[in-house]
Structure formats: structure tokens, C-alpha cells
């Protein structure tokens, strides 16, 4: 079993919209597997500009040691992208083809309320490589049908060597909270019961796919996965944005510098946004001074008002 891959034609990329056949294929993969990969949809030059800055930021965060926003282990760092227009490429953060897929699965104008990244750090000399436990990001009572999709954008090609995420296809729709251990808000919440893992791997073993630079991964929030060690000498940064169904009552707000506001307004006026984007707008200097002080992954509240 392999993850589904959509390779848009040059015409689809130029027009920033999938044809009906590719859209159907993407939606089918999302329902059956909980994941689909879109190849060649992000310009490499945009990724490279962002990657240079975020690699520096990752090293800064790692130097904080116990106070760093790590996920499960210190080799996996949670970090936000610089929230100002200089680094805000719509091809990355508001990619129309990715939004076309999330809208088809979740309903029109999904709500984008989470924007961060995780970085697989090179293993330091004398350290043992560490992997995350297999877990679900939906570590709270949640609907049994699609309600949230994660858009992962690796800033470089990801491989098993530099920490490509381990994924367990098909687990998004077959298991719920009863498969998990740990309490929401703990660093290690959402862990999947070991006996269930052993059963599932006989049916559909996990994999670490190679993801080409320029790709976007669309993943159901409920899907089992695990961050893996990075055995190379280079930091591997992967963005993570979450689109929620328009009916899903998540309370989070994005925090962006005010110079991003006209970028989003222009996209909306041109009919290219297709999202609800609730933002707590900050002075751009204030945003740059505070964006590295966000929490670790499981400290965010992806639940909804009841």
C-alpha cells in the first residue's frame, strides 16, 4: 500500500485548479487513506527563502533545551514561520489547489486557524536517535467523519534519512479515542495503544514515503503518524496548517503581522483565497519579536465549542 499521489498537469498548475478527474481522485484518497500528496505545486524558490530563515530559527529553539517547544522528544521541534509578509508566500500558505481539495472534503470556505511547523533536528553527537510514539493529533472527543485536514508542506525533499513522517494509512476512519493513551495537553497525549499497533501493522504496515520538494501533503487530523529521527546533518522543516470544516467551532486565531492583511485581502478580492481566516492582527515588529515563543504541538486546542 502506498500513499496516493496527484501530479497536476502544467495547465492545472497554471490555472491553479485541478480538473474534475484529479479532484475526484484526491477526495477518494482522503476518504479511503486519510492522506494524499500533491506534487509540483509550490515554487522551489519560495520554499528556499522560507527554509533559510526557519532553519536558523530551529537552531535557536533547540538551544533552549528543556524550555524548547519540543514534541515528545527534543529531536522534534514545534516552530512557527515568521508571520510577516516578507515570508508569506500564498503559493505555500494559501495554495489554491490544496484549498480546492480541503473544500471538497470539508465544505466550502474551510476555517484556517492553525499555522505552524515541525522540524526534525539532526541527532547530536553522543545522542541516541529518537522517534515519536505513533499518535493521533485528534487527542480529544471528536466527530467520526472528516472535520479537519492538515496541510503539510516540507521545505526540502523528505526521505527516511532526514525524518520523513511515518504514516499509517486508513487509520483515520477506523479508530477513535478508545485507541489512544494520555490526556490532551500532555506532551505525549494521543499515543496509540501498543496492542492495536501490532494488530494494525499486520493489515496495513506503516511507511515513510519520500516526499518531493514542491509537494503539499493533505492529511486527515485523525490519521495515526509519528515523527522520525533525522540521521542527516541538515534540519528538516515541514509546515503544518489546519483547515477545519466551516461548521466546526474551533476557537483558535492565527497571529500574523499586519502587513499580511493586504495580501489576504487581495487574494479574497481576486477569488483566490477560498478560506475563512480568523486572525489576531499584531504590529509586524511585535509579531516578529514573539513568534518563536509559541507552545509545543499538544498544547494547542483543536477541539470545538460544544
Amino acid at each position: 500500500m502506498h500513499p496516493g499521489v496527484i501530479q497536476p498537469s502544467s495547465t492545472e498548475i497554471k490555472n491553479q485548479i485541478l480538473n474534475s478527474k484529479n479532484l475526484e481522485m484526491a477526495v477518494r484518497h482522503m476518504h479511503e487513506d486519510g492522506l494524499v500528496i500533491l506534487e509540483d505545486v509550490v515554487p522551489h524558490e519560495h520554499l528556499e527563502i522560507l527554509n533559510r530563515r526557519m532553519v536558523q530559527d530551529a537552531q535557536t529553539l533547540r538551544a533552549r533545551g528543556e524550555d524548547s517547544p519540543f514534541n515528545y522528544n527534543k529531536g522534534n521541534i514545534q516552530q512557527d514561520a515568521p508571520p510577516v509578509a516578507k515570508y508569506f508566500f500564498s503559493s505555500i500558505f494559501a495554495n489554491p489547489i490544496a484549498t480546492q481539495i480541503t473544500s471538497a472534503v470539508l465544505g466550502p470556505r474551510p476555517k484556517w486557524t492553525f499555522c505552524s511547523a515541525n522540524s526534525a533536528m539532526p541527532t547530536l553527537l553522543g545522542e541516541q536517535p529518537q522517534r515519536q510514539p505513533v499518535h493521533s493529533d485528534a487527542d480529544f472527543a471528536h466527530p467520526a467523519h472528516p472535520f479537519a485536514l492538515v496541510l503539510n508542506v516540507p521545505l526540502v525533499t523528505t526521505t527516511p534519512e532526514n525524518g520523513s513522517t511515518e504514516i499509517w494509512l486508513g487509520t483515520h476512519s477506523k479508530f477513535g479515542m478508545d485507541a489512544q493513551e494520555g490526556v490532551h495537553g500532555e506532551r505525549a497525549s494521543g499515543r496509540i495503544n501498543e496492542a492495536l499497533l501490532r494488530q494494525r501493522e499486520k493489515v496495513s504496515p506503516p511507511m515513510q514515503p519520500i516526499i518531493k520538494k514542491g509537494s503539499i501533503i493533505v492529511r486527515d487530523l485523525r490519521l495515526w503518524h509519528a515523527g522520525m529521527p533525522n540521521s542527516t546533518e541538515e534540519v528538516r522543516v515541514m509546515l503544518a496548517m489546519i483547515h477545519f470544516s466551516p461548521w466546526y467551532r474551533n476557537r483558535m486565531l492565527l497571529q500574523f503581522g499586519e502587513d499580511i492583511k493586504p495580501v489576504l485581502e487581495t487574494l479574497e478580492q481576486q477569488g483566490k483565497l477560498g478560506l475563512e481566516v480568523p486572525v489576531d492582527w499584531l504590529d509586524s515588529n511585535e509579531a516578529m519579536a514573539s513568534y518563536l515563543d509559541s507552545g509545543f504541538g499538544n498544547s494547542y486546542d483543536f477541539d470545538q465549542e460544544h
Side-chain angles (χ1 to χ4, degrees):
M1 193 174 184
H2 300 281
V5 175
I6 304 294
Q7 295 178 309
S9 67
S10 57
T11 301
E12 289 171 295
I13 292 172
K14 179 183 176 182
N15 295 332
Q16 291 292 280
I17 188 169
L18 294 177
N19 62 35
S20 58
K21 185 176 180 180
N22 273 338
L23 181 59
E24 179 194 2
M25 194 182 307
V27 171
R28 184 169 70 247
H29 285 307
M30 291 308 306
H31 283 287
E32 292 178 357
D33 301 335
L35 183 142
V36 69
I37 300 167
L38 301 168
E39 289 190 344
D40 301 319
V41 292
V42 183
H44 288 198
E45 58 267 28
H46 295 172
L47 297 168
E48 288 158 7
I49 292 169
L50 188 57
N51 190 57
R52 281 194 290 271
R53 177 59 190 246
M54 293 192 71
V55 166
Q56 294 174 4
D57 289 345
Q59 301 288 14
T60 298
L61 289 171
R62 183 179 217 177
R64 295 181 184 177
E66 291 290 340
D67 295 325
S68 68
F70 62 88
N71 295 316
Y72 299 97
N73 66 70
K74 293 174 191 170
N76 188 286
I77 300 287
Q78 184 84 30
Q79 67 174 111
D80 288 358
V84 291
K86 177 181 178 181
Y87 297 102
F88 189 87
F89 298 101
S90 59
S91 63
I92 297 174
F93 294 100
N95 186 281
I97 293 178
T99 300
Q100 183 187 10
I101 293 173
T102 62
S103 298
V105 175
L106 300 172
R109 294 187 71 84
K111 286 191 291 187
W112 175 27
T113 65
F114 179 79
C115 183
S116 190
N118 64 76
S119 297
M121 306 301 292
T123 303
L124 296 175
L125 191 65
E127 282 190 350
Q128 284 293 109
Q130 288 185 294
R131 57 163 291 154
Q132 291 181 347
V134 180
H135 63 280
S136 168
D137 291 336
D139 62 343
F140 52 90
H142 56 266
H145 49 86
F147 68 95
L149 301 180
V150 184
L151 303 181
N152 285 130
V153 184
L155 301 188
V156 297
T157 293
T158 66
T159 67
E161 289 72 34
N162 69 1
S164 175
T165 303
E166 179 183 277
I167 54 174
W168 294 64
L169 295 179
T171 53
H172 64 300
S173 60
K174 295 178 174 63
F175 303 93
M177 283 286 293
D178 54 348
Q180 301 178 20
E181 299 171 350
V183 178
H184 171 72
E186 297 176 352
R187 285 195 188 269
S189 63
R191 301 184 312 278
I192 305 303
N193 177 279
E194 193 69 27
L196 279 178
L197 289 178
R198 302 291 75 82
Q199 292 174 21
R200 181 64 186 174
E201 68 183 355
K202 294 175 183 176
V203 177
S204 179
M207 67 192 70
Q208 273 186 278
I210 294 173
I211 311 292
K212 289 168 52 180
K213 183 178 178 179
S215 300
I216 296 178
I217 307 145
V218 186
R219 168 175 63 85
D220 193 297
L221 187 75
R222 299 168 293 167
L223 192 76
W224 296 0
H225 63 286
M228 302 297 281
N230 180 355
S231 62
T232 73
E233 296 180 355
E234 304 295 329
V235 177
R236 187 240 64 202
V237 180
M238 184 172 70
L239 299 174
M241 296 160 280
I242 302 179
H243 291 184
F244 291 97
S245 283
W247 50 262
Y248 190 80
R249 300 172 298 282
N250 180 260
R251 296 165 289 219
M252 293 190 301
L253 298 174
L254 298 170
Q255 282 200 330
F256 288 154
E258 289 183 332
D259 61 354
I260 290 178
K261 185 183 290 187
V263 179
L264 292 175
E265 289 174 345
T266 299
L267 290 171
E268 178 68 14
Q269 291 164 4
Q270 295 174 342
K272 296 178 179 178
L273 184 58
L275 296 166
E276 292 298 324
V277 190
V279 181
D280 176 17
W281 295 106
L282 304 175
D283 173 84
S284 295
N285 291 328
E286 178 187 347
M288 285 299 289
S290 61
Y291 77 99
L292 292 183
D293 296 327
S294 299
F296 59 90
N298 289 353
S299 66
Y300 289 92
D301 187 3
F302 300 147
D303 203 353
Q304 66 174 333
E305 294 176 334
H306 295 286

